[in-house]
Amino acid sequence: MCGIVGYVGDGDATRVLLSGLNQLEYRGYDSAGIAVSDGGGEICGDGGVDANGGVSSDGAGIDVRKRAGELENLEAAIESGAPTGSVGIGHTRWSTHGPPTDRNAHPHTGETGAVAVVHNGIIENYRALKEALVDAGRTFESDTDTEVVPHLIEQALADGADPETAFRRAVSQLEGSYAIVAVFEGVDALFAARNDSPLVLGVGDDGYHVASDVPAFLEFTERVVYLEDGETVVVRGDGATVRDGDGDVVEKAVTTVDWDVEDTGKSGYDHYMLKEIHEQPTALRQCLSGRVNELDGTVELPEVDGVPAPSTVHLVACGTSYHAALVGAARFREAGTPAQAFLASEYAVRTPPVGDALVIGVTQSGETADTLAALRAARSRGARTLAVTNVVGSSAARECDDAVYIRAGPEIGVAATKTFTSQVVSLSLLVERLAGSATGSEASRERLAALRDLPGLVQQVLDESAAAAVAEAYVGRDGYFFIGRGPNHPVALEGALKFKEITYEHAEGFAAGELKHGTLALVTERTPVIAVVTGDDAAARKTVSNVKEVEARGAPVIAVTDGRAGVAEYADHTLALPDAHPSVLPLLANTQLQLVAYHVANRLGRSIDKPRNLAKSVTVE
């Protein structure tokens, strides 16, 4: 949720930190801050600890600036005189403990101001730690759990510890999830630790970076070191020393990410979300590239060559990824493999018997806390785990036995768009690869041919969509209902989720057959019903009957359809889908619903890329 940046090197720390925070705005936040020191000392120099418990320095101190609200508020606070120095940390906060105020914003300091700390995650035992610190005479200024950390560090410094020892001693007392970075007065280094919250190092030409996500430092370097749970690191301008939980030095590999900094720009679009909707054809081509052999109806996924055909599949996910998991589970069942999608937050606390099930975690970021907890619960019961994710080197990818990457490229908008379609296609490929009975069949060849055509079909929808006109006709209604049956049910759920995420209007998605069981009481002439109807089978005909029910009660109907079931006859507006194989029609319908949500939100003047209260990567349970 929150964003962390840190820098130590030869450059201007303030400029580097603000650049990183700008790149992390997409994660969602409600306050921001930086702390900068001009360093000037060694980690274990002769200065030792002064009488106040602070590290001896040349007196420059740590300059902390932080403000509630948008990043521009912080930038305004810096205009009158930016902090100067070559060592610093920054943070965008998404509130968990205490409201979004200046004093609750990060970074946090103790009483001496000798150390400043930023933190992602939740410190579960902070109350007990805080009570002990207060009993020892320390005064707290914020409502946050984070503030215990600088106080613990200062306490260790006062007891004679050097900075690294003080930092490690403080971290050892914490319980919960955290990514923590600290800067000390007069010390040319950053001190960082992670546990159940992402943290990566960037190896640059003029210094080292620390961040919660790679895009924070892509402007400066593409060389990355991924930290593991339980590790701490001392980061200097010319290198970093990583230690495990026992204090032993760990050798870490440096990898190069294949994201280009240009990929994270808007490329002329008004919003990242609109850009990413239009990037779907490219993302799908990347997802499919080198993986499909249409001639013999097979899929090449070397990542899972060692995975046997599963007898049972559990898919665990949250939010949009859960809707993709629903599609994946249905496709496994169609291929003859029992499968079920679970909300990761429920699976983690009520893990069903796994037996010899393959447990698949579907997570865009690879850092979603509930999904990681579900995967860990499954592994603890002996299950084989597989991650379907967008981020190479993410926690899910590293912790699972196997990983399949969706190759969608960086997604900056909080509301997932191109990653949903790439997740569904990746899961479809996984089904073809693992459900051996279908591989090489005529039906398999038809499905793979449909996937080959999908990027062009999505482009056709983007080029011809009437979503903007439909959005204009239905702005400001009392509520919006999205319905669909079978493979269109997850699309209805996803359409409603997108709509509510960025418009802030009430929207509900459900299986069309449930319309009569409660929701019909809410249907009026001011509640548009968006019906996804594809094909002309029994499910489509029954959905047309549901459309007639709401039409009879005065509700306006928007049909998202390929036209085969004749639903347009009963609709006030139609969003047309091109002729396509049944397996890809739901994804084409999803593109139309993404555009409707975007245009309604834009018409209402909403913060489309950074919707209120939401975060891109949900790293707390």
Side-chain angles (χ1 to χ4, degrees):
M1 291 184 179
C2 310
I4 284 176
V5 295
Y7 172 75
V8 54
D10 298 328
D12 176 2
T14 296
R15 183 185 75 82
V16 175
L17 296 175
L18 290 177
S19 172
L21 293 179
N22 271 284
Q23 294 300 322
L24 293 181
E25 280 193 290
Y26 72 94
R27 292 171 66 98
Y29 71 103
D30 48 40
S31 60
I34 62 172
V36 174
S37 170
D38 66 358
E42 295 295 327
I43 295 172
C44 298
D46 295 331
V49 179
D50 67 24
N52 295 319
V55 180
S56 298
S57 73
D58 59 6
I62 300 174
D63 192 340
V64 178
R65 311 285 182 91
K66 52 186 184 177
R67 291 291 184 274
E70 297 288 318
L71 188 55
E72 62 188 25
N73 295 346
L74 173 63
E75 292 170 335
I78 292 173
E79 284 180 0
S80 59
T84 58
S86 57
V87 186
I89 52 178
H91 193 264
T92 52
R93 177 179 185 249
W94 191 87
S95 300
T96 57
H97 293 74
T101 61
D102 288 356
R103 68 187 181 91
N104 285 334
H106 296 216
H108 287 287
T109 59
E111 292 184 351
T112 70
V115 59
V117 169
V118 292
H119 161 234
N120 287 354
I122 293 178
I123 298 170
E124 295 174 357
N125 63 332
Y126 89 97
R127 289 187 182 277
L129 293 172
K130 184 175 181 178
E131 289 173 1
L133 288 163
V134 170
D135 289 344
R138 292 190 166 269
T139 302
F140 283 72
E141 301 294 335
S142 77
D143 305 311
T144 69
D145 55 339
T146 303
E147 196 181 350
V148 300
V149 181
H151 282 286
L152 289 171
I153 294 172
E154 285 189 351
Q155 191 174 64
L157 290 171
D159 290 339
D162 62 79
E164 181 177 4
T165 302
F167 180 79
R168 288 177 57 82
R169 188 178 298 172
V171 169
S172 70
Q173 299 178 65
L174 307 180
E175 297 174 5
S177 63
Y178 52 79
I180 295 172
V181 187
V183 60
F184 287 75
E185 179 183 6
V187 179
D188 285 319
L190 300 174
F191 300 79
R194 72 156 282 175
N195 187 61
D196 290 342
S197 192
L199 200 63
V200 295
L201 303 182
V203 183
D205 293 331
D206 65 348
Y208 267 65
H209 305 258
V210 182
S212 50
D213 206 354
V214 171
F217 51 70
L218 271 181
E219 176 186 347
F220 306 100
T221 183
E222 297 174 352
R223 291 178 291 164
V224 176
V225 175
Y226 294 98
L227 298 179
E228 302 289 345
D229 286 346
E231 292 180 341
T232 59
V233 57
V234 179
V235 188
R236 306 169 187 83
D238 60 355
T241 302
V242 181
R243 298 183 185 276
D244 61 20
D246 296 325
D248 297 326
V249 174
V250 180
E251 296 298 325
K252 306 290 290 188
V254 178
T255 60
T256 301
V257 296
D258 59 1
W259 289 0
D260 191 293
V261 67
E262 295 298 323
D263 293 339
T264 62
K266 292 182 183 177
S267 302
Y269 288 93
D270 290 338
H271 298 91
Y272 284 113
M273 182 181 179
L274 185 61
K275 174 192 176 228
E276 287 154 4
I277 290 172
H278 281 266
E279 284 178 339
Q280 287 177 113
T282 299
L284 291 170
R285 291 187 183 97
Q286 292 171 173
C287 179
L288 292 166
S289 178
R291 290 174 163 176
V292 174
N293 186 329
E294 291 179 49
L295 293 178
D296 60 8
T298 59
V299 169
E300 296 293 330
L301 279 177
E303 306 97 308
V304 297
D305 280 350
V307 180
S311 60
T312 308
V313 173
H314 294 177
L315 296 100
V316 294
C318 306
T320 287
S321 296
Y322 173 69
H323 299 153
L326 288 171
V327 179
R331 294 193 175 175
F332 267 112
R333 293 193 297 269
E334 290 165 5
T337 301
Q340 186 174 353
F342 295 86
L343 289 167
S345 55
E346 292 296 313
Y347 192 95
V349 297
R350 295 184 179 88
T351 307
V354 297
D356 59 354
L358 173 65
V359 180
I360 301 174
V362 187
T363 162
Q364 185 281 136
S365 67
E367 303 294 350
T368 307
D370 287 318
T371 304
L372 290 173
L375 289 167
R376 289 164 184 160
R379 289 201 73 180
S380 72
R381 298 193 177 197
R384 184 166 190 148
T385 57
L386 186 153
V388 176
T389 182
N390 194 36
V391 182
V392 176
S394 60
S395 294
R398 297 196 311 276
E399 292 184 20
C400 285
D401 298 298
D402 309 279
V404 172
Y405 295 108
I406 70 172
R407 302 176 178 172
E411 186 175 67
I412 305 302
V414 167
T417 51
K418 66 177 181 176
T419 53
F420 172 77
T421 55
S422 293
Q423 284 173 336
V424 170
V425 169
S426 296
L427 288 168
S428 299
L429 295 176
L430 196 59
V431 171
E432 298 290 343
R433 174 63 182 79
L434 295 181
S437 60
T439 300
S441 67
E442 181 61 29
S444 179
R445 283 193 288 271
E446 289 178 0
R447 287 190 296 269
L448 294 180
L451 291 177
R452 174 205 62 197
D453 294 337
L454 181 58
L457 292 169
V458 171
Q459 188 63 58
Q460 184 178 341
V461 171
L462 292 169
D463 293 341
E464 300 175 359
S465 177
V470 169
E472 184 66 29
Y474 294 105
V475 167
R477 299 304 179 97
D478 293 344
Y480 301 80
F481 300 118
F482 294 71
I483 63 172
R485 288 178 184 261
N488 294 325
H489 174 216
V491 172
L493 296 176
E494 176 61 12
L497 178 61
K498 274 308 143 280
F499 198 92
K500 71 180 74 173
E501 279 181 321
I502 64 171
T503 69
Y504 311 158
E505 300 293 299
H506 174 74
E508 184 177 348
F510 49 91
E514 290 299 293
L515 182 68
K516 300 181 293 294
H517 301 284
T519 307
L520 203 57
L522 301 177
V523 169
T524 72
E525 67 280 356
R526 289 191 54 79
T527 56
V529 175
I530 298 92
V532 183
V533 186
T534 59
D536 59 356
D537 58 5
R541 292 191 293 273
K542 289 180 180 180
T543 308
V544 173
S545 296
N546 299 132
V547 167
K548 292 178 182 178
E549 291 171 345
V550 298
E551 182 204 30
R553 288 158 177 81
V557 174
I558 303 161
V560 186
T561 182
D562 59 352
R564 296 178 63 196
V567 69
E569 178 182 349
Y570 309 101
D572 297 274
H573 286 82
T574 299
L575 293 171
L577 304 178
D579 184 36
H581 190 275
S583 64
V584 300
L585 279 169
L587 285 178
L588 301 177
N590 176 70
T591 302
Q592 291 280 25
L593 297 183
Q594 291 172 345
L595 290 168
V596 170
Y598 172 81
H599 286 297
V600 171
N602 197 38
R603 174 68 171 75
L604 292 170
R606 305 304 193 207
S607 177
I608 291 174
D609 289 330
K610 296 176 287 182
R612 69 188 181 199
N613 303 331
L614 301 181
K616 184 66 176 174
S617 180
V618 184
T619 55
V620 293
E621 296 180 61

